[in-house]
Amino acid sequence: MSCIGTAGHVDHGKSTLVTALTGIDPDRLAEEKARGMTIDLGFAWISLPSGHEASIVDVPGHESFIRNMLAGVGGIDVALLVVAADEGVMPQTEEHLAILDLLRVRSGVVALTKCDLVDDVWLALVREDVSERLSSTSLAGSRIVPCSAVNGQGLPELLAALDNAVTAAPTRRDIGRPRLSIDRVFTMTGFGTVVTGTLQEGRLRVGQDVEAMPRDARARIRGLQAHRHAVTEGEPGGRLAVNLAGVARSDLHRGDVLTLPGMFQSTTTLDARLDVLASAPRTLEHNAELVLYLGAAEVPARVALLESDELEPGASGFAQLRLLQPVVAARNDRFIVRIPSPSLTLGGGVIVDPFPRRHRRRDQAVLTWLATLADGAPDDIVLAMLQGEPGIRRRPAGHPGRLGNYGGRDLPSLARLVSMPTADVTSALTGLAERGQVTAAGDFFYAAEQWRRLADDARLLVEEFHRQYPLRAGMPREEWRSRLQLAPREAADALLRLLQDGALVESHSGRGAFVAIPGHVVSLTPEQRQAVDQMLARFRAEPFAPPIRPEVEGALGPEVTALLIEQGTLVRLNDTVLLGREAYVEALQRMVAHLRTHETLTVADARDLLGTTRKYMLALFEHTDERRYTLRRGDDRVLGPQAAEVDALAWKTSG
């Protein structure tokens, strides 16, 4: 499906020509019909001689409505430039042609309308003038067809020329990332909220959940229409009317983008290559206020020139656009910029990075990186995006307090970021990996130097933990992930790769998962071992009323105490009470044996059974209740459903 957009000066017959070609009057507003002038976007469709169907967007030609014109031409494939033969090229002809050139619309046809009002000599002069004006634009060489919407002269030739232009236009990409820039919002009785726009880069289907960005308004597609016919699926490049359920008309506005949930993020900063029109009446200065036209969106912006203090007419350079409102954008999207007062088109360009950080001006490394994103081969672009901006990737590995920003991307997010088909990104990654420039870790890909930095940081982090806590088996895995600032899924894949490479080892205990350096061994100093032996002797001397934890930590220190608990030498009943492993198992055995014979056990009976005090016995009962070795029935305990596990504990301890 393709979209044709009209362009040209006011009163040159754009809407009349569309009506003559399609039988559809694109002027839908009462004011348009009363004034005989297009004010807002109009829509029609046409069946071309080859059988192709194309959508038509008819735009206003008056300079007062240029913002409406810009809302309609962002998604067109073919330009139908209309020039009245009796007037020739006029100011809005020039501006519309400049806009088409900035948007790089390369397929088009020129309709010399009202040719019935001029003689052949004049027609030839106008034709020559138009051809010369086109020669320096993206529409150079486009066919020029004299025609009349009044008597039908030249209309068959115009249809054939449009057919050829549609065939020659680049096929709209389907990269599985649908987005529709909303150019009209209205309500239909019995249907509710309806939006229209030109669908790009993917398909929308009836029943899908969608969201309107940047407002994050969620909805469901109730119905779709293309050329007033119900369809179940919209194709890239086609005009589409979308009936939405679950969202009010007041929640949506022209310029919003309809897409699938989670597919896009909004942004308020854009890196771009900016072209100033050669016909611009002034230079573009650093920090100038502009209005950005992107898709159907119109947003105030301030421009930061990254290479110089100004851009002369006809010049080009990298710039950062800082927006007053968020937009949805992708790499390679084209845009127009205008001066707000006096209102005029100054230039346009292409988005290089939709999610940049602020740059230092005249930073050659940044400019080189942006040039790669703008003009590089697919492999170079993918690698540059994985490497990240120069200021980020120069951070030294293992620098304290500056971990993170490793640039890992899974395939879907990388394809969205570089705005390329998944197959092309996969091919680029394969070549880069073969050359050692990219490293894969599970579903994530890293520039080789970024992966080395992550691996270094991951190991240094654990080594530092071992130095601080030599008596611990390793660093808690969740703490390791958090310190590296990795998302859970990325951390899991990165750790698996590091384990496979032998850079780290992983262990598990009742306290969770830990990562350690291979060969790390927990060992006590001779002084610590002597203190532990003395403390354990006290635990054996009073097995069911041993020293409490504060006393143990006072003698051994918190780290040694934690080690004994982790190793299972001591068993923690609560924050205060500890038991030696053998005493713990023996206590459980005595309690279970008593319950199997007597069915119930009171605190007093258990205290006498173990020769301990009420404090220890209450802590032990709370512990056995939690593990369901026992169950509380009033003031008594009975056997719990997990009591059989005590026999296994006893066997394991004796073994």
Side-chain angles (χ1 to χ4, degrees):
M1 187 73 74
S2 296
C3 185
I4 300 169
T6 65
H9 196 74
V10 62
D11 203 31
H12 277 206
K14 294 186 293 300
S15 300
T16 303
L17 182 62
V18 169
T19 303
L21 292 173
T22 67
I24 301 169
D25 184 358
D27 286 342
R28 52 189 169 79
L29 302 178
E31 184 180 356
E32 291 177 318
K33 297 184 184 300
R35 297 174 61 178
M37 181 176 68
T38 300
I39 295 172
D40 203 353
L41 300 176
F43 308 101
W45 58 92
I46 190 170
S47 293
L48 296 166
S50 64
H52 289 138
E53 274 207 355
S55 306
I56 296 180
V57 179
D58 184 41
V59 306
H62 196 284
E63 63 179 341
S64 299
F65 306 113
I66 189 69
R67 59 192 300 186
N68 293 338
M69 180 269 184
L70 287 164
V73 296
I76 69 171
D77 305 292
V78 175
L80 175 55
L81 180 63
V82 178
V83 181
D86 60 338
E87 290 190 329
V89 173
M90 296 292 282
Q92 288 310 113
T93 313
E94 297 275 17
E95 185 170 20
H96 284 204
L97 181 57
I99 289 169
L100 294 173
D101 185 45
L102 289 166
L103 294 175
R104 299 297 188 265
V105 179
R106 301 186 184 280
S107 187
V109 177
V110 179
L112 286 184
T113 58
K114 305 183 183 183
C115 67
D116 54 316
L117 301 181
V118 300
D119 58 30
D120 291 344
V121 175
W122 181 260
L123 187 62
L125 290 173
V126 172
R127 185 171 191 155
E128 184 178 350
D129 183 41
V130 170
S131 180
E132 183 180 344
R133 301 296 180 96
L134 294 179
S135 63
S136 61
T137 73
S138 61
L139 293 178
S142 295
R143 187 174 173 187
I144 302 172
V145 182
C147 58
S148 170
V150 174
N151 63 20
Q153 179 184 346
L155 294 187
E157 291 80 4
L158 181 60
L159 281 172
L162 283 171
D163 204 351
N164 291 334
V166 166
T167 301
T171 303
R172 283 286 178 172
R173 304 185 309 167
D174 184 352
I175 59 175
R177 188 178 65 169
R179 52 176 170 150
L180 182 142
S181 189
I182 297 172
D183 51 37
R184 189 180 173 210
V185 186
F186 57 95
T187 302
M188 286 188 65
T189 303
F191 291 90
T193 303
V194 178
V195 301
T196 66
T198 303
L199 185 59
Q200 301 181 54
E201 297 188 336
R203 298 169 184 267
L204 290 177
R205 300 177 181 85
V206 173
Q208 281 183 318
D209 291 326
V210 291
E211 64 178 343
M213 302 286 290
R215 302 175 196 280
D216 300 326
R218 295 296 182 103
R220 180 178 56 82
I221 298 178
R222 178 184 288 162
L224 295 171
Q225 279 195 4
H227 304 166
R228 292 190 183 172
H229 293 290
V231 295
T232 58
E233 181 179 81
E235 299 179 1
R239 292 287 307 172
L240 201 62
V242 187
N243 182 202
L244 297 173
V247 64
R249 186 252 175 274
S250 58
D251 292 333
L252 304 174
H253 297 83
R254 172 178 283 182
D256 292 348
V257 173
L258 194 70
T259 184
L260 301 181
M263 191 67 69
F264 283 89
Q265 291 179 304
S266 57
T267 180
T268 55
T269 310
L270 301 169
D271 278 351
R273 173 177 281 156
L274 190 57
D275 303 317
V276 179
L277 288 172
S279 58
R282 64 172 72 173
T283 61
L284 173 61
E285 297 180 349
H286 171 66
N287 216 32
E289 293 183 1
L290 300 172
V291 181
L292 169 76
Y293 294 87
L294 176 67
E298 175 185 354
V299 179
R302 190 175 292 276
V303 61
L305 299 180
L306 300 179
E307 299 180 72
S308 60
D309 291 330
E310 61 182 23
L311 287 178
E312 298 283 347
S316 176
F318 288 114
Q320 187 166 92
L321 296 169
R322 295 161 186 170
L323 315 180
L324 270 64
Q325 301 163 13
V327 298
V328 172
R331 198 182 71 86
N332 285 335
D333 281 355
R334 299 203 70 87
F335 61 88
I336 301 295
V337 290
R338 305 188 84 231
I339 298 172
S341 180
S343 182
L344 57 89
T345 300
L346 189 68
V350 62
I351 294 172
V352 175
D353 183 4
F355 301 105
R357 64 184 181 89
R358 291 206 171 200
H359 306 301
R360 287 186 298 122
R361 299 177 63 219
R362 297 182 175 86
D363 186 327
Q364 191 55 51
V366 169
L367 295 174
T368 300
W369 183 74
L370 290 175
T372 299
L373 293 182
D375 302 318
D379 288 19
D380 298 328
I381 293 168
V382 169
L383 181 60
M385 200 61 81
L386 287 174
Q387 288 172 332
E389 299 171 41
I392 293 177
R393 72 170 180 265
R394 286 199 297 263
R395 181 184 63 75
H399 194 288
R402 298 182 65 188
L403 303 176
N405 293 319
Y406 303 105
R409 299 277 181 179
D410 61 11
L411 182 59
S413 68
L414 183 58
R416 289 196 295 269
L417 196 62
V418 298
S419 193
M420 291 164 51
T422 301
D424 292 354
V425 178
T426 300
S427 177
L429 288 170
T430 300
L432 291 166
E434 289 173 352
R435 296 191 294 273
Q437 295 173 283
V438 162
T439 300
D443 291 334
F444 288 80
F445 298 89
Y446 302 82
E449 64 267 31
Q450 298 288 67
W451 172 256
R452 284 192 292 271
R453 188 165 62 80
L454 191 159
D456 287 346
D457 287 355
R459 184 179 177 91
L460 289 169
L461 201 59
V462 177
E463 288 176 347
E464 177 61 26
F465 187 89
H466 286 330
R467 282 192 290 272
Q468 290 183 344
Y469 306 103
L471 298 181
R472 298 189 189 182
M475 186 176 191
R477 188 172 65 184
E478 180 58 24
E479 181 182 347
W480 175 84
R481 180 199 71 79
S482 178
R483 288 286 305 279
L484 289 172
Q485 300 180 37
L486 298 176
R489 192 164 66 91
E490 183 182 0
D493 284 2
L495 179 58
L496 181 60
R497 174 64 191 262
L498 292 168
L499 296 176
Q500 293 170 344
D501 291 347
L504 296 174
V505 294
E506 186 178 25
S507 63
H508 298 266
S509 73
R511 297 173 59 196
F514 302 87
V515 290
I517 298 298
H520 172 69
V521 177
V522 175
S523 59
L524 299 174
T525 65
E527 294 79 8
Q528 290 171 330
R529 171 53 59 191
Q530 182 179 7
V532 167
D533 290 342
Q534 292 173 353
M535 181 58 68
L536 293 180
R538 293 181 58 186
F539 270 75
R540 289 190 293 271
E542 298 181 273
F544 303 118
I548 60 176
R549 184 165 185 167
E551 187 177 351
V552 176
E553 290 184 344
L556 304 180
E559 287 297 310
V560 175
T561 303
L563 174 64
L564 295 176
I565 294 172
E566 184 176 322
Q567 292 177 336
T569 305
L570 299 180
V571 177
R572 175 186 174 277
L573 301 185
N574 60 26
D575 290 342
T576 302
V577 178
L578 305 171
L579 287 182
R581 164 60 66 177
E582 293 79 6
Y584 170 73
V585 172
E586 183 179 347
L588 295 182
Q589 285 181 297
R590 291 188 191 182
M591 292 165 61
V592 169
H594 181 94
L595 287 169
R596 284 170 176 164
T597 303
H598 301 91
E599 295 186 358
T600 62
L601 182 63
T602 66
V603 173
D605 290 340
R607 182 191 59 201
D608 295 340
L609 182 68
L610 298 178
T612 186
T613 66
R614 182 179 178 83
K615 176 180 73 174
Y616 286 93
M617 200 60 244
L618 287 174
L620 186 56
F621 266 151
E622 290 174 2
H623 177 86
T624 57
D625 289 346
E626 287 177 2
R627 283 156 180 73
R628 299 178 67 79
Y629 301 153
T630 60
L631 294 177
R632 184 170 182 173
R633 294 287 186 267
D635 291 333
D636 297 340
R637 273 9 183 236
V638 298
L639 278 177
Q642 305 301 323
E645 291 184 2
V646 172
D647 299 327
L649 282 173
W651 179 85
K652 185 176 180 180
T653 301
S654 63

